[in-house]
Amino acid sequence: MTDTSEDNLNFGFIAFKEEQIDEIAKKVGLRFSKSGYLRTIDNKPKACDCCGHSIRKKNIGSILPGSNIVYCDNPVCYTEYMEKYLKL
Amino acid sequence: MGIVDVLKKLGKGDLLNLFKIEVDNSKNYDDRGANITINVSGRDKIEYTPPNTIEYQLVEKDHKKLYKNGISGYVREDLVMPQIGMMASRASKTKIFNKYKWRIEEKYYRAMITSYAIISFEDFGDFVTSNKLFDNLVKRFPSCGRRIYNFCRSGLMEGFFSNKLGELIFQGADEPVIREKFKVFFSEYVDFYPHAVWVNRIMSFNEVLTDIDIRLKLDYISWLDIYFRGNERVDIAEKLETYLEGHEGLVIDTIDRYDICKSPCVRIGIRKIKDKFTCV
């Protein structure tokens, strides 16, 4: 393994599985309703911050720590998330 | 304690499978983490620096500090590698990102990231996603999105701008001076790039000629590339080719024909052979 610092990227991601999503949502002040949709702590619907589509466990993509910024798994939204928050 | 043990101890053992981490046991990893080589979709290898153990502890204790500590986010596991692979599987792109970070304005850098994502999808042949991304890019960066995409797609980030940056670095200036100078240089070229015309959907043949004329009337411009993409624009390219063949002040240097996704593209390179002339 050679040291290629110039090529190195720290993406700083923490990957989660579907079964971990409840716990992570709770950490950022969100929760999933009984009908499966993401909601804020005051029970308002939480949509994707890019496309505005409602978010369920199956289409959640990314959550920014320390905020309730959530993106769905659409590549367009995901790219916006990377562009805005990824530490490239 | 090796990094594998650290990850397992913290219950993050799944990360090892997720990232298909190849651990070099001969290296003594400490608690600060270390660079790890990972395979990206069976293609090129990239280096990945895993979050260190302190950050892992922060996951449990105070997630609000995560972002400040370089954690970009919680990401669904099946999205991590495809997207990272899309963005960074080529070492050249990684170098490009590192080269321009902090040296161009943030909005340009962000537009650049999306532009390379669009290019990746185009190269994969996913026209639908690349189109959606492009619409999003223009919507988010109305003033510079198209231009930055054109720079990236035309290879100017790897060529023209990279060379200019190289010149500044070679002159031995300090990094803050390089950043300041290059930011100004780059911004000026985003506003007006004199060495190329990118023909868009709404440009007529006469407008293309006017754009060429504006550029070639500049004293310091002796050559110009004109890019056409899509069937309708290729028709304009053919018209321009015929028009320029009989022109006394200009000569066609190169004509490249290629495809991006399913769109036919043409690049016409022209050179000025008379100082004073008019194209229109």
Side-chain angles (χ1 to χ4, degrees):
Chain A
M1 204 180 304
T2 53
D3 180 22
T4 52
S5 55
E6 196 180 356
D7 295 343
N8 182 55
L9 292 180
N10 183 358
F11 292 103
F13 282 138
I14 296 177
F16 63 80
K17 290 183 173 181
E18 197 176 325
E19 56 265 29
Q20 295 169 318
I21 187 59
D22 281 321
E23 189 190 346
I24 292 169
K26 198 177 168 187
K27 281 178 191 292
V28 295
L30 299 168
R31 67 178 184 83
F32 283 93
S33 66
K34 284 180 182 172
S35 53
Y37 289 95
L38 192 63
R39 289 185 173 273
T40 60
I41 207 156
D42 48 353
N43 211 28
K44 287 179 182 169
K46 178 64 191 162
C48 171
D49 280 279
C50 177
C51 67
H53 285 156
S54 53
I55 287 183
R56 307 181 76 167
K57 282 184 187 178
K58 283 186 178 175
N59 73 335
I60 192 165
S62 320
I63 303 176
L64 187 70
S67 76
N68 61 357
I69 292 168
V70 181
Y71 281 65
C72 73
D73 59 0
N74 184 321
V76 176
C77 306
Y78 193 76
T79 305
E80 181 178 312
Y81 177 84
M82 292 178 87
E83 169 242 300
K84 267 186 165 179
Y85 305 111
L86 183 63
K87 303 284 186 182
L88 277 174
Chain B
M1 185 184 289
I3 190 151
V4 176
D5 302 321
V6 172
L7 291 172
K8 281 179 180 169
K9 190 180 176 187
L10 292 164
K12 305 295 175 186
D14 291 342
L15 278 171
L16 297 173
N17 297 325
L18 175 64
F19 291 112
K20 294 175 185 169
I21 291 173
E22 296 171 359
V23 180
D24 181 358
N25 288 322
S26 63
K27 211 166 182 176
N28 185 27
Y29 298 106
D30 58 23
D31 284 354
R32 290 172 301 172
N35 291 349
I36 290 175
T37 304
I38 55 172
N39 284 313
V40 182
S41 310
R43 292 164 47 161
D44 302 336
K45 287 181 177 180
I46 59 168
E47 295 277 318
Y48 172 76
T49 307
N52 65 32
T53 55
I54 295 167
E55 287 161 345
Y56 272 113
Q57 287 161 8
L58 284 171
V59 178
E60 310 301 329
K61 288 178 183 173
D62 186 0
H63 72 276
K64 286 182 181 177
K65 288 181 185 169
L66 282 171
Y67 189 58
K68 288 178 185 172
N69 282 281
I71 298 295
S72 299
Y74 302 104
V75 177
R76 209 175 75 195
E77 60 170 357
D78 57 325
L79 294 175
V80 175
M81 289 321 295
Q83 298 293 341
I84 289 179
M86 178 190 79
M87 298 292 288
S89 59
R90 296 175 187 172
S92 60
K93 294 292 178 290
T94 310
K95 282 179 184 168
I96 291 292
F97 286 134
N98 286 338
K99 189 176 274 185
Y100 291 106
K101 191 177 184 184
W102 312 121
R103 288 170 173 162
I104 56 177
E105 283 183 32
E106 193 192 339
K107 65 177 177 180
Y108 299 150
Y109 184 72
R110 285 164 52 186
M112 195 179 120
I113 292 172
T114 306
S115 297
Y116 276 115
I118 295 167
I119 291 167
S120 296
F121 276 112
E122 284 174 344
D123 292 347
F124 294 153
D126 188 346
F127 194 51
V128 176
T129 308
S130 64
N131 262 358
K132 281 183 189 171
L133 277 172
F134 186 78
D135 291 344
N136 195 44
L137 174 74
V138 175
K139 192 174 144 195
R140 291 178 47 71
F141 304 101
S143 63
C144 67
R146 282 176 192 274
R147 183 52 57 91
I148 297 291
Y149 167 80
N150 287 335
F151 285 172
C152 297
R153 182 79 257 188
S154 307
L156 297 176
M157 302 305 284
E158 290 98 331
F160 181 79
F161 292 110
S162 183
N163 291 344
K164 181 64 188 176
L165 186 58
E167 273 178 37
L168 287 173
I169 294 168
F170 184 72
Q171 286 165 7
D174 292 336
E175 180 60 27
V177 177
I178 292 171
R179 285 181 187 180
E180 194 182 329
K181 278 188 178 177
F182 191 74
K183 268 184 189 174
V184 174
F185 175 83
F186 192 81
S187 301
E188 283 173 358
Y189 276 90
V190 171
D191 291 340
F192 178 73
Y193 186 74
H195 291 292
V197 174
W198 288 274
V199 179
N200 62 37
R201 293 174 191 186
I202 56 169
M203 282 172 84
S204 67
F205 178 68
N206 285 335
E207 284 170 323
V208 175
L209 287 183
T210 307
D211 264 20
I212 295 170
D213 206 42
I214 289 169
R215 284 162 172 78
L216 290 179
K217 276 182 176 168
L218 299 169
D219 289 339
Y220 60 94
I221 297 297
S222 59
W223 58 269
L224 188 62
D225 285 332
I226 308 125
Y227 293 91
F228 304 86
R229 180 170 169 181
N231 288 318
E232 289 171 18
R233 265 72 66 195
V234 167
D235 291 343
I236 295 177
E238 284 168 8
K239 204 174 168 185
L240 182 72
E241 206 181 316
T242 314
Y243 179 84
L244 292 178
E245 273 173 6
H247 201 286
E248 289 181 359
L250 296 170
V251 63
I252 296 176
D253 265 348
T254 52
I255 300 177
D256 292 336
R257 296 179 197 281
Y258 51 94
D259 288 336
I260 296 175
C261 272
K262 292 173 183 172
S263 304
C265 303
V266 178
R267 180 182 72 88
I268 299 179
I270 57 175
R271 186 162 42 87
K272 192 161 69 173
I273 52 173
K274 275 188 181 178
D275 281 344
K276 290 182 182 177
F277 72 97
T278 179
C279 182
V280 182

